[in-house]
Amino acid sequence: MINDTRQRLINVIIHHHFSSTGKKLKVGKIADEAGITRQAFHRYYGDLLGYIKGEKPVGELLPSSNQESVSDLLIESQSRVVALENELSAIKDRHNTELKKTLDKHITSLMNNDITLFETDDIRITLEKQTTLIQNYSEQIVSLKAQITKSKIMSTNESMSSTIGSRVVLDPKLESAMASYKQDRDYNAYLDSKDKEIARLLTKVNSFTDNKNKLIIFIDKHLCDLSNFLEMLPPSKSSEIVLRAPIFTAIELRNLISKVTAPIRISVFIPDFISVAEANAQRAFRSTNLPIEEIKLSEKADHIYLTKGIDSVVYFCAKNGK
């Protein structure tokens, strides 16, 4: 049984993680809010340090039996997303207004049909600060949306675990790989991390030995969120596993299926749009923090056909913003 102090620490960590503005958690602050000293935290609750530093997923601390707690965290995170998006929109409007005012102010003469623009360091610094702030809010929104998706997946797994025809959702954890790519731009290292994560999830798939199970491979092509895809899926009469596969070629799919050793039926679901322009716009909307190489590959993704090992291939029309 978890003692009261440990539960307070867990509650404080979860609250800060889902309601933070992107700032790192600090041991001293967490310990203080839980009513203990930093020394007591390190001595008796050192195993929670990884969640504070971001080395372990905070989702592991979410209550497995209290759906209301998970729902409250989702509502809090979604409220934070809306607030950030509203603030971001206001900043962009102020940014554009300030830019126009500054340029108009420094158009000082019109001679021989030439417009002379005077740019100063103050203008450049102001615009750079506003651009950095906009980028920061955009990254916070992407991060919070990812947290909401994870929480929805966790809630789905928990709510269906006690029903006939349960659904297990497997989503590759690529946040650290994307963070590393953002620093060093090493796409090969990103691919290695992605392959290892997919291999880890395939190990889980192969642990299911019931031949009545069904595997749904969701190749999102960065056109549709996993959480929205799950909402579209009808309830299953048999147990099923949903695996999001960030792959783009028929060869990658064949290699993935060849590693599935469990006696399981496989279906492939792929989102699409009626026009290329719509697809590109949707992909640009979703791929803010993705490696540019991933975006280009998703734009040229292979058309998937029925082949050995696949029971069905389903293309569905994705929705804008979904």
Side-chain angles (χ1 to χ4, degrees):
M1 179 179 293
I2 300 177
N3 61 45
D4 292 342
T5 302
R6 184 179 184 83
Q7 188 60 56
R8 286 202 304 274
L9 284 167
I10 290 175
N11 291 342
V12 171
I13 292 172
I14 291 175
H15 174 76
H16 276 276
H17 181 75
F18 281 91
S19 63
S20 67
T21 58
K23 296 181 180 179
K24 293 184 178 179
L25 302 183
K26 294 184 179 180
V27 173
K29 183 174 179 62
I30 297 297
D32 184 59
E33 290 192 23
I36 63 174
T37 64
R38 179 195 295 266
Q39 291 78 9
F41 175 89
H42 285 291
R43 183 173 182 179
Y44 299 108
Y45 307 102
D47 59 303
L48 297 178
L49 188 60
Y51 300 105
I52 295 176
K53 291 184 176 181
E55 298 170 351
K56 295 181 180 179
V58 174
E60 294 177 356
L61 299 177
L62 288 173
S64 60
S65 60
N66 190 340
Q67 288 296 311
E68 291 185 1
S69 296
V70 176
S71 298
D72 289 344
L73 290 174
L74 282 174
I75 292 171
E76 187 173 357
S77 294
Q78 288 171 329
S79 298
R80 179 62 184 158
V81 169
V82 171
L84 282 172
E85 287 180 332
N86 290 338
E87 190 166 352
L88 176 60
S89 178
I91 290 174
K92 286 182 177 179
D93 290 341
R94 290 200 301 271
H95 176 76
N96 292 332
T97 301
E98 185 69 21
L99 177 61
K100 185 177 185 304
K101 286 172 59 180
T102 303
L103 291 178
D104 289 344
K105 179 180 178 181
H106 289 271
I107 297 176
T108 58
S109 63
L110 179 60
M111 301 177 64
N112 299 323
N113 296 323
D114 291 331
I115 299 177
T116 305
L117 300 177
F118 293 89
E119 297 182 353
T120 67
D121 284 342
D122 288 340
I123 300 172
R124 177 180 56 78
I125 292 172
T126 299
L127 296 181
E128 285 180 353
K129 285 182 178 179
Q130 290 179 343
T131 300
T132 300
L133 188 58
I134 290 172
Q135 182 180 358
N136 179 266
Y137 275 105
S138 297
E139 290 176 353
Q140 287 186 43
I141 290 171
V142 171
S143 176
L144 283 169
K145 284 183 176 179
Q147 292 175 18
I148 291 172
T149 297
K150 288 181 180 178
S151 298
K152 283 184 178 179
I153 292 171
M154 183 174 296
S155 179
T156 299
N157 284 343
E158 291 170 353
S159 64
M160 300 191 69
S161 61
S162 60
T163 65
I164 297 175
S166 60
R167 177 180 293 159
V168 176
V169 180
L170 303 176
D171 187 19
K173 298 178 180 179
L174 300 175
E175 291 82 0
S176 61
M178 286 191 287
S180 297
Y181 174 84
K182 190 174 180 180
Q183 290 181 349
D184 53 34
R185 299 297 174 181
D186 188 345
Y187 183 58
N188 288 328
Y190 175 87
L191 288 179
D192 289 341
S193 298
K194 182 171 76 170
D195 290 342
K196 289 177 182 178
E197 181 62 14
I198 292 176
R200 183 183 69 83
L201 295 182
L202 286 176
T203 299
K204 289 189 177 182
V205 172
N206 290 329
S207 67
F208 292 86
T209 57
D210 189 346
N211 57 15
K212 294 181 180 179
N213 287 326
K214 179 181 179 181
L215 172 62
I216 294 177
I217 299 176
F218 174 49
I219 303 177
D220 65 325
K221 297 197 301 183
H222 306 307
L223 293 177
C224 176
D225 285 344
L226 176 57
S227 58
N228 292 307
F229 171 65
L230 293 174
E231 292 175 358
M232 296 171 56
L233 277 180
S236 175
K237 295 181 180 179
S238 61
S239 298
E240 65 183 17
I241 307 160
V242 179
L243 169 65
R244 185 178 76 85
I247 58 177
F248 311 107
T249 68
I251 293 177
E252 287 179 302
L253 179 60
R254 284 198 296 270
N255 288 339
L256 187 151
I257 292 174
S258 70
K259 296 173 183 177
V260 177
T261 58
I264 200 167
R265 293 174 293 118
I266 298 176
S267 296
V268 179
F269 281 73
I270 308 166
D272 213 339
F273 280 87
I274 296 176
S275 71
V276 175
E278 283 183 292
N280 288 340
Q282 187 72 357
R283 188 175 286 111
F285 171 74
R286 299 182 177 284
S287 54
T288 306
N289 289 333
L290 287 173
I292 186 64
E293 295 88 346
E294 285 282 289
I295 301 172
K296 291 181 178 178
L297 286 173
S298 65
E299 291 174 350
K300 301 177 181 178
D302 290 346
H303 192 90
I304 302 300
Y305 300 92
L306 276 177
T307 186
K308 183 178 180 181
I310 301 177
D311 291 280
S312 63
V313 176
V314 179
Y315 276 86
F316 64 91
C317 187
K319 298 179 181 179
N320 285 318
K322 297 290 188 179

